[in-house]
Amino acid sequence: MDPVQAITTIEKHDIIGLLLPDEPSIDAKAGAEVLLSALGHMGKTVGLLAPTSVIADPGYFEALARTKPLAREFIISVNTEDSPVRQLRYEQNERAIDIIVTPKSNPLSSGAVSFRDGALRCDLAIAIGFSPESPPEKQSNALPADFLKQTPFITVSPAQNSPVPQPGLTPDKKPRNTSISEQCFLLAKRIPGFTVASRHATTLLAGILEQTANLREALNADTLDITSQLFKAGAQYDDAWTIVNPLPSLSLIQLIGRAAARSKIDEDRGVLWSFLAAE
């Protein structure tokens, strides 16, 4: 994704829909989180295009937790074959809109009226976190047919870059993926007047940690530079680490403790056995 071209495209549209995989990575969620805030700063209407299991801890992804699906048009259909209509009008009051149908001859029954969803109100789609093996077209069952063919969309996915050996780091001949977090950071920082908040910097850092095995895999100069900028923006490494490496629940810790207390090992035969009660 070219950030300059992406911003130019975004500026031309008012209603923007985000599309994420059913189970997005932390990297994808972090990128979506900062994009939601940046697009809101630009005055855009933003919503989700399809339901997704996004929120494990809404404290880290507040904007994503609040985002609702984009609105659809709602169609009220009258069967005029059996009940020809003379006039259609509406009256609006403080709490409701009354749609008034005047039949020509035959009385109009409730069975002649049906309801259905109409077109999705979306000018531009942004697909985040999809891979070439599983593109958005294959995971968009909740969208109308041919939606992505008829609607312009931007794809934000890990992009391959050739690594540049850095002092103290092991070079890797294989290309590595530039994280979604890096790309979304570069886009957000180019939006006039928008500042990447410290909480966004922390989630973006978490996305980079996820994609680089906690900064242990081969890195390139751009990734290190962006990581440095995130720290300057207030990223908290401990919080980012927790997002990527969540602590086990108390119940799991208790279960591990009971299993350890009830385990025995026969070192001569190399046998370990344990048992847990039903509770």
Side-chain angles (χ1 to χ4, degrees):
M1 176 190 69
D2 179 87
V4 176
Q5 184 177 353
I7 291 175
T8 301
T9 301
I10 290 170
E11 288 175 340
K12 298 177 182 178
H13 301 86
D14 296 321
I15 304 176
I16 300 174
L18 298 187
L19 183 62
L20 289 89
D22 294 336
E23 296 183 359
S25 64
I26 292 171
D27 187 28
K29 291 189 288 187
E33 178 76 7
V34 72
L35 279 185
L36 281 168
S37 296
L39 293 171
H41 175 81
M42 296 175 72
K44 306 299 180 181
T45 299
V46 189
L48 296 177
L49 288 175
T52 180
S53 56
V54 170
I55 307 305
D57 186 342
Y60 293 120
F61 303 105
E62 295 177 1
L64 211 48
R66 295 193 304 266
T67 302
K68 299 179 179 180
L70 283 178
R72 289 176 178 264
E73 295 178 345
F74 188 72
I75 299 174
I76 303 173
S77 180
V78 179
N79 182 351
T80 57
E81 182 178 358
D82 298 330
S83 304
V85 173
R86 181 186 300 278
Q87 186 182 45
L88 175 67
R89 70 184 191 275
Y90 74 90
E91 294 178 357
Q92 182 172 359
N93 54 49
E94 292 182 358
R95 297 186 177 182
I97 297 177
D98 295 325
I99 300 173
I100 304 167
V101 180
T102 304
K104 279 186 177 181
S105 55
N106 298 332
L108 187 65
S109 66
S110 60
V113 182
S114 61
F115 309 92
R116 69 180 186 272
D117 288 331
L120 186 64
R121 297 293 304 275
C122 181
D123 302 328
L124 173 70
I126 302 180
I128 304 175
F130 293 91
S131 65
E133 297 76 20
S134 184
E137 293 85 351
K138 292 185 178 180
Q139 297 190 37
S140 55
N141 295 331
L143 296 177
D146 297 329
F147 172 80
L148 292 177
K149 294 181 180 179
Q150 299 171 356
T151 306
F153 71 95
I154 298 171
T155 300
V156 188
S157 58
Q160 285 195 339
N161 284 327
S162 298
V164 178
Q166 300 297 314
L169 297 176
T170 303
D172 190 342
K173 295 181 180 180
K174 297 180 181 180
R176 65 166 295 273
N177 289 333
T178 299
S179 66
I180 294 168
S181 296
E182 294 170 57
Q183 298 176 64
C184 290
F185 173 74
L186 293 176
L187 186 152
K189 67 180 292 189
R190 288 179 176 271
I191 296 174
F194 180 74
T195 301
V196 176
S198 60
R199 64 183 183 86
H200 292 147
T202 297
T203 54
L204 291 172
L205 177 60
I208 293 175
L209 294 180
E210 180 188 51
Q211 291 297 314
T212 61
N214 299 315
L215 298 177
R216 291 196 300 266
E217 290 186 351
L219 303 170
N220 60 31
D222 291 337
T223 300
L224 294 174
D225 178 55
I226 290 173
T227 301
S228 174
Q229 293 183 56
L230 292 175
F231 279 121
K232 291 178 182 178
Q236 300 297 312
Y237 183 83
D238 289 345
D239 291 342
W241 172 273
T242 301
I243 296 173
V244 180
N245 307 280
L247 296 174
S249 64
L250 177 60
S251 59
L252 179 58
I253 295 175
Q254 292 172 331
L255 181 63
I256 294 172
R258 289 200 299 270
R262 299 174 180 178
S263 299
K264 292 185 178 181
I265 186 171
D266 187 329
E267 296 183 357
D268 295 333
R269 292 184 291 175
V271 176
L272 170 70
W273 66 89
S274 180
F275 71 93
L276 289 173
E279 73 277 5

